[in-house]
Amino acid sequence: MYHLVKSIYLHATSLPEYSILLLGLDAAGKTTLLNQIRNLYGVEGTGGDAGAEGTGAGTGAKGVPSESAGKTVPTVGQNVCTIQAPQRLYLRIWDIGGQQSLRRLWPSYYSSCHAIVFVIDSTDLGNCDISQLPELDPGLDPSSSYRPDQPSSRNKKRLSAAAADDEGRLGECAALLSSVLADSSTAGVPLLVLANKQDREDSVEVVRIKEGFVRKVVEGDGGQGSARGQGHGGAGAYVRDSRVLPCSALSGQGVKEAVDWVATRAEWNKEARPPVMR
């Protein structure tokens, strides 16, 4: 009888926990974003490796953006924190290193995640038009580096010198996001693309990022499915739950809106990816 009452009590008082991945190129602002989330929501628990040291987390008052959130070091592995969202649920947020040598670790997190936040540097996208880039390779390894100055034989004829000069890291970013969506373990997972560093004057407008980059990668030219529909039953098999939002991880602008969207969409998708109760 005791065990029955205990189980009923735990079921009634426990809250769901969803795992969220912060992905993106190195220096996109993922760790700064995590630091702001820690300050805005408080931290239920932290963990990680050497990359968590020196991040400046927890130096500001709860609910207020931290001025020291940008004092970070390159993430060597992962940073982790758990927050309680206003929707009465927990979000366990994983900041995974974006360096080329660490990207091979990403796929090991896909099957257990409930949403993906792909952070991009809005100041390093060139003209933000992937139609001028060479065709993305469907079999691209996430740990590989996109090098427009050293195109493969199949892409040499499609890449102009002008495009290579003007694109910034757009090609690398597009190839990496495409490889994430191509993995069958990410099928049906909500995707939030965060256009970071919108507080800077040289940032690309969110509308251009959405139309010239994200929509073409996430939805494909056909407007449905992912850019790599082969892994999900063919192009146009489904419409991915995705959104593009502006933010400045350094100032805290747009961070709460991002967390709110992720929490809402992860909970909405709980039938497909059940949470962990805690």
Side-chain angles (χ1 to χ4, degrees):
M1 185 65 179
Y2 167 77
H3 295 288
L4 176 60
V5 173
K6 182 180 179 181
S7 63
I8 294 175
Y9 172 79
L10 291 177
H11 179 75
T13 58
S14 60
L15 295 177
E17 178 181 279
Y18 298 92
S19 292
I20 312 299
L21 297 186
L22 294 185
L23 304 178
L25 298 180
D26 51 295
K30 299 184 298 298
T31 304
T32 301
L33 174 64
L34 185 69
N35 288 346
Q36 286 292 16
I37 293 173
R38 281 172 166 153
N39 281 282
L40 290 170
Y41 292 91
V43 180
E44 294 291 334
T46 59
D49 56 12
E53 296 179 1
T55 61
T59 57
K62 180 179 178 181
V64 179
S66 171
E67 296 181 356
S68 62
K71 298 179 180 180
T72 66
V73 295
T75 301
V76 183
Q78 65 186 29
N79 298 311
V80 189
C81 80
T82 303
I83 65 169
Q84 183 172 350
Q87 291 85 349
R88 286 188 51 79
L89 53 82
Y90 292 107
L91 296 179
R92 187 165 180 80
I93 305 172
W94 301 78
D95 164 28
I96 314 298
Q99 295 94 328
Q100 180 184 345
S101 59
L102 298 175
R103 295 173 194 169
R104 63 173 58 93
L105 300 175
W106 291 11
S108 62
Y109 293 86
Y110 294 162
S111 61
S112 59
C113 78
H114 298 90
I116 295 174
V117 178
F118 195 88
V119 184
I120 60 177
D121 182 349
S122 302
T123 68
D124 199 13
L125 297 176
N127 59 17
C128 202
D129 186 0
I130 65 171
S131 63
Q132 299 182 16
L133 301 178
E135 181 181 354
L136 302 181
D137 186 353
L140 180 71
D141 186 335
S143 64
S144 65
S145 178
Y146 178 87
R147 293 293 304 276
D149 56 325
Q150 297 180 4
S152 62
S153 58
R154 66 177 290 197
N155 291 330
K156 283 182 179 179
K157 295 182 180 180
R158 302 194 57 182
L159 181 61
S160 66
D165 292 336
D166 296 340
E167 72 177 39
R169 299 185 77 183
L170 176 63
E172 186 179 2
C173 191
L176 196 56
L177 177 57
S178 182
S179 71
V180 172
L181 301 182
D183 196 297
S184 60
S185 296
T186 66
V189 176
L191 170 71
L192 174 62
V193 177
L194 268 187
N196 191 25
K197 306 185 183 181
Q198 285 291 308
D199 55 322
R200 291 180 47 173
E201 294 183 358
D202 57 341
S203 63
V204 179
E205 299 89 342
V206 175
V207 173
R208 288 179 58 192
I209 294 174
K210 181 178 180 180
E211 299 297 330
F213 166 41
V214 177
R215 176 168 292 180
K216 293 179 180 178
V217 174
V218 176
E219 300 179 356
D221 292 336
Q224 287 187 327
S226 69
R228 293 292 170 260
Q230 295 92 331
H232 310 304
Y238 69 94
V239 177
R240 182 179 292 273
D241 186 7
S242 63
R243 189 173 182 183
V244 183
L245 289 176
C247 87
S248 169
L250 193 60
S251 68
Q253 172 193 352
V255 174
K256 284 189 174 181
E257 290 80 359
V259 172
D260 183 68
W261 189 90
V262 168
T264 301
R265 304 318 294 172
E267 187 175 30
W268 181 86
N269 196 45
K270 64 183 179 181
E271 296 298 328
R273 295 225 171 182
V276 176
M277 303 303 296
R278 55 166 288 189

